[in-house]
Amino acid sequence: TIDELHDDGHTQRGVARSYTRSDDIVTDTVTGLSWQDNNDTSIYNWSEANTTCEGLNLSGFSDWHLPAIQELGTLVDYGRSSPAMDPIFQNISSSFVWSATTSASYTGNAWYVSFGDGSADNYFKSDSNQVRCVRGRQ
């Protein structure tokens, strides 16, 4: 077929998602990232979000951080909506979730992901959004 003739490795269909769950932590076995999944529905400004993740002690782990936008984006499941996230996560909402990534065009803004539809944007760091802390790569 034509697809076989033009298979140069540039088109990728993606990697199947794979998660495990232990208590209030969901681990992505593809990326190696472990995600907070307790029932914290609080909202924080961006500075508070960073402090909250750095101070988190969950299931005996204390090396949590606010995820970079690239890390947070790995949770989006575009085959779902409201929330656009795998159902292995038990404590999810369709709200905005902060990332640690500051906007390059205006340092008073930071990136977030909306888990209603999986979109990403940036907004004032003084605004309040939810957090989902991560451990692993940074």
Side-chain angles (χ1 to χ4, degrees):
T1 68
I2 194 159
D3 288 337
E4 291 170 334
L5 295 173
H6 292 76
D7 184 9
D8 62 358
H10 291 297
T11 304
Q12 297 181 16
R13 300 206 188 279
V15 177
R17 297 173 182 276
S18 177
Y19 299 101
T20 61
R21 178 177 196 86
S22 178
D23 298 322
D24 290 329
I25 297 175
V26 173
T27 300
D28 182 328
T29 60
V30 174
T31 65
L33 297 172
S34 294
W35 294 93
Q36 167 195 21
D37 193 35
N38 61 354
N39 196 21
D40 182 2
T41 58
S42 303
I43 57 173
Y44 307 92
N45 68 37
W46 186 78
S47 179
E48 293 168 339
N50 275 289
T51 301
T52 296
C53 286
E54 290 170 4
L56 181 64
N57 189 330
L58 181 63
S59 295
F61 298 103
S62 60
D63 57 342
W64 298 93
H65 64 272
L66 193 62
I69 190 65
Q70 296 88 346
E71 291 173 319
L72 191 57
T74 67
L75 292 182
V76 176
D77 184 342
Y78 293 105
R80 302 176 191 279
S81 66
S82 296
M85 200 175 208
D86 192 282
I88 195 167
F89 290 89
Q90 296 174 357
N91 297 294
I92 54 178
S93 70
S94 298
S95 63
F96 301 148
V97 178
W98 279 124
S99 84
T101 307
T102 295
S103 169
S105 60
Y106 177 62
T107 59
N109 285 8
W111 287 91
Y112 66 83
V113 170
S114 167
F115 283 100
D117 61 6
S119 64
D121 203 349
N122 66 83
Y123 202 66
F124 300 111
K125 290 179 178 178
S126 58
D127 193 32
S128 294
N129 293 318
Q130 289 186 326
V131 299
R132 184 169 297 271
C133 305
V134 66
R135 51 185 302 271
R137 299 183 227 191
Q138 205 169 10

